[in-house]
Amino acid sequence: MIKKLLIANRGEIALRIMASAKELGIKTVIVYSEADKNSMPVQLADEAYCIGPASPSDSYLNIPAIMTAAELSGADAIHPGYGFLSENARFAEIVEASGLVFIGPSPKHIQLMGNKQEARKTMESLGVPILPGSNGVIKRIGDARRTAEKIGYPIILKAVAGGGGRGMRIINTPVELEENFTTAQREAYMAFGSPDLYIEKYIERAHHVEVQVIGDGKKAISIGDRECSMQRRHQKIVEEAPSPFISEETRQRMLDVVEKAATSLKLRSLVTFEFLVDQKENFYFIEANTRIQVEHPVTELVTWVDLIKEQILIASGGKMTTKKENLRRIGHAIEARINAEDPQTFSPSPGKIHFLFFPGGNGIRVDTAVFQGYEIPPYYDSMIAKIIAYGRTRREALRKLEVALKHTSIVGVKTNLPLLLKLFESPEFLSGNYTTRFLEEEFVW
Ligand code: MV4
């Protein structure tokens, strides 16, 4: 059993991990940057180690500093949270080579899913539908031309080492392909250290639906789906469980095909499988994430599975406490991400929080690490809280969420609260049939 857990992250997810660890009687160690010395995770952890200056590359991505803190503290496991080192296979390897437990999938699985073309090929071989596209890595423009002619325009160029929407280019014509291919390779090389690209048929009006898998290395279970189409520049702002768009029949087919593939792969810990779903409810695997995700609470609320606790128990060598026979999905959950940003321009709005209030109430969960008097540092992402509502129906969850947002008060920094409230009045959101284009291209307020 794990006795002492080092949390290599910050903010709300550091607190969320700490809560499950403490519930299990595990001591907690936090590592923090100079900019986070007055943070809530530092206050609440049993031990805290400063690992460097504010810049992520000097602290939360600084593997030697984190490993030193692990050694000094006597921690026997590391949880990476999301972002930072969470999907770094080399980090997972180093942790394991040091005799510590890495809380997450095996380094091999992190590596496999980090190569988006390998992941695509692997899923296809396991019977998961993928979009028409390249069979391997596209190295030369000639291969790109041939693939594009075969599958037809529009196509999308993606970086093999990319993911999460970074380094993608939509290509509508052969001329655009000629104009963009080399630049896309160069950009991929600059951003991800590899110029390798792959091609997929581009689907225009898609839903982004993902499936949460939990596995113990022997058996994997699909525990539920999430609708994640409400996003801007690949930052999700609202997530729901279950997806209000897909039918029960589509959902069941998606969960089943993912569960079979994940079991074949002998996945351990948590993995999320992302799909694009078109208007006819055809679904296509696009990528898999080998970390706990920001939006995990909506799945926790409808399934009653404590995802972090499961991660810790599985990593401790125990088995999943989740049993497929006992798994239930009841009701509906909606999460709104509160960002410290200008709601018009979306530019970050760091600074001091002079007054802060979050409501509670039936079916309301608030995951946050901010408090009155806290100064939001400018070095990290702008998400400062997640308000999640749970109800028997989507309507009920939405009403509860609207009331909770209206009762929220954050003074001192700009937030996206006004945008969220307007969004929840829009007919498109109310209908549940909104695509990834909605927030960026269709919503006016
Ligand atoms: C796509 C796509 C359409 N066709 N792939 C975005 C997140 C990343 N995981 C994959 N993403 C997409 N992949 C194919 N073949 C549409 C998206 C997409 C998107 C693309 C451009 C601009 C905004 C977008 C928002 C969500 C999803």
Side-chain angles (χ1 to χ4, degrees):
M1 184 63 193
I2 294 165
K3 292 195 188 71
K4 199 185 252 196
L5 174 63
L6 184 144
I7 300 164
N9 215 297
R10 62 183 303 282
E12 66 90 17
I13 196 65
L15 289 186
R16 170 68 190 84
I17 296 162
M18 208 177 287
S20 284
K22 289 187 178 185
E23 181 191 333
L24 290 167
I26 297 170
K27 291 284 181 209
T28 56
V29 179
I30 191 80
V31 291
Y32 65 97
S33 73
E34 285 165 14
D36 283 337
K37 65 178 194 297
N38 299 318
S39 72
M40 220 51 210
V42 171
Q43 289 292 309
L44 293 177
D46 296 304
E47 290 171 49
Y49 293 81
C50 185
I51 49 167
S55 170
S57 56
D58 294 329
S59 47
Y60 297 105
L61 295 172
N62 183 343
I63 297 177
I66 293 167
M67 296 311 295
T68 303
E71 183 165 14
L72 289 173
S73 64
D76 44 21
I78 299 184
H79 196 307
Y82 52 65
F84 298 124
L85 295 169
S86 60
E87 293 178 284
N88 184 320
R90 197 168 54 89
F91 178 59
E93 245 166 36
I94 290 168
V95 172
E96 291 187 350
S98 308
L100 306 185
V101 175
F102 178 80
I103 302 196
S106 72
K108 286 271 171 289
H109 286 133
I110 298 173
Q111 177 117 47
L112 168 67
M113 298 309 185
N115 181 318
K116 302 301 167 180
Q117 172 59 33
E118 281 299 311
R120 182 179 136 82
K121 202 169 74 187
T122 304
M123 286 304 121
E124 182 185 32
S125 77
L126 295 171
V128 181
I130 60 167
L131 286 159
S134 48
N135 294 320
V137 177
I138 302 270
K139 298 262 190 198
R140 300 163 191 282
I141 182 128
D143 299 333
R145 268 186 223 122
R146 268 188 295 281
T147 304
E149 292 305 330
K150 193 176 72 193
I151 66 177
Y153 291 89
I155 59 147
I156 187 164
L157 282 178
K158 298 185 178 185
V160 166
R166 298 179 314 140
M168 303 184 335
R169 262 163 205 257
I170 300 159
I171 307 286
N172 289 297
T173 63
V175 172
E176 282 182 25
L177 182 61
E178 303 297 326
E179 287 169 351
N180 285 278
F181 186 77
T182 315
T183 324
Q185 279 186 319
R186 193 162 47 239
E187 279 181 8
Y189 179 68
M190 300 286 258
F192 314 112
S194 161
D196 292 351
L197 304 177
Y198 68 109
I199 289 176
E200 275 175 359
K201 178 81 190 161
Y202 177 66
I203 30 177
E204 205 105 19
R205 297 178 57 80
H207 290 257
H208 184 157
V209 179
E210 58 190 30
V211 175
Q212 179 69 65
V213 165
I214 181 164
D216 63 7
K218 286 205 181 77
K219 167 83 188 140
I221 308 173
S222 286
I223 75 164
D225 62 307
R226 297 185 283 257
E227 173 70 59
C228 298
S229 299
M230 198 59 81
Q231 47 180 300
R232 190 187 162 277
R233 301 213 182 142
H234 308 296
Q235 289 298 113
K236 299 163 189 165
I237 72 158
V238 177
E239 301 98 344
E240 313 189 46
S243 165
F245 173 67
I246 61 176
S247 66
E248 280 309 319
E249 192 194 327
T250 302
R251 182 173 356 268
Q252 206 52 59
R253 281 195 294 123
M254 255 171 106
L255 296 180
D256 284 347
V257 73
V258 169
E259 188 167 287
K260 286 198 181 77
T263 298
S264 300
L265 287 169
K266 302 189 184 301
L267 291 181
R268 172 186 93 196
S269 198
L270 300 181
V271 179
T272 299
F273 291 80
E274 289 185 15
F275 288 86
L276 292 178
V277 184
D278 69 17
Q279 286 305 316
K280 293 176 180 160
E281 295 189 43
N282 297 306
F283 56 84
Y284 308 96
F285 168 82
I286 47 171
E287 54 187 84
N289 304 313
T290 52
R291 58 167 192 273
I292 184 79
Q293 295 206 236
V294 175
E295 59 270 25
H296 76 276
V298 292
T299 302
E300 293 192 321
L301 288 171
V302 300
T303 62
W304 280 74
V305 174
D306 181 329
L307 289 169
I308 304 275
K309 192 159 126 184
E310 285 291 79
Q311 276 189 306
I312 297 173
L313 290 173
I314 291 163
S316 295
K319 291 201 195 72
M320 300 187 274
T321 62
T322 308
K323 295 272 173 286
K324 198 177 173 186
E325 314 83 77
N326 306 333
L327 188 65
R328 295 285 180 277
R329 285 187 299 275
I330 307 166
H332 196 94
I334 310 178
E335 169 177 283
R337 299 191 191 185
I338 315 290
N339 296 331
E341 67 190 14
D342 185 314
Q344 300 294 335
T345 65
F346 296 92
S347 57
S349 176
K352 195 176 177 116
I353 299 177
H354 294 293
F355 180 81
L356 180 72
F357 179 78
F358 286 118
N362 181 272
I364 296 299
R365 165 173 169 180
V366 180
D367 281 17
T368 187
V370 301
F371 51 88
Q372 198 158 308
Y374 178 71
E375 184 147 353
I376 301 163
Y379 312 102
Y380 313 107
D381 76 9
S382 61
M383 192 185 75
I384 54 168
K386 305 184 299 203
I387 303 189
I388 313 107
Y390 175 69
R392 291 168 296 187
T393 62
R394 183 171 189 259
R395 274 207 93 81
E396 191 176 59
L398 182 55
R399 283 271 176 269
K400 287 175 190 284
L401 183 55
E402 284 184 304
V403 174
L405 292 176
K406 284 178 180 149
H407 288 185
T408 297
S409 175
I410 302 169
V411 179
V413 297
K414 291 178 187 158
T415 75
N416 62 341
L417 274 166
L419 169 71
L420 287 165
L421 284 166
K422 279 288 177 209
L423 202 54
F424 294 147
E425 288 173 0
S426 70
E428 290 86 351
F429 185 82
L430 292 172
S431 77
N433 183 355
Y434 55 91
T435 72
T436 52
R437 294 162 68 100
F438 176 64
L439 186 57
E440 235 155 345
E441 296 171 31
E442 297 162 18
F443 183 54
V444 271
W445 66 296

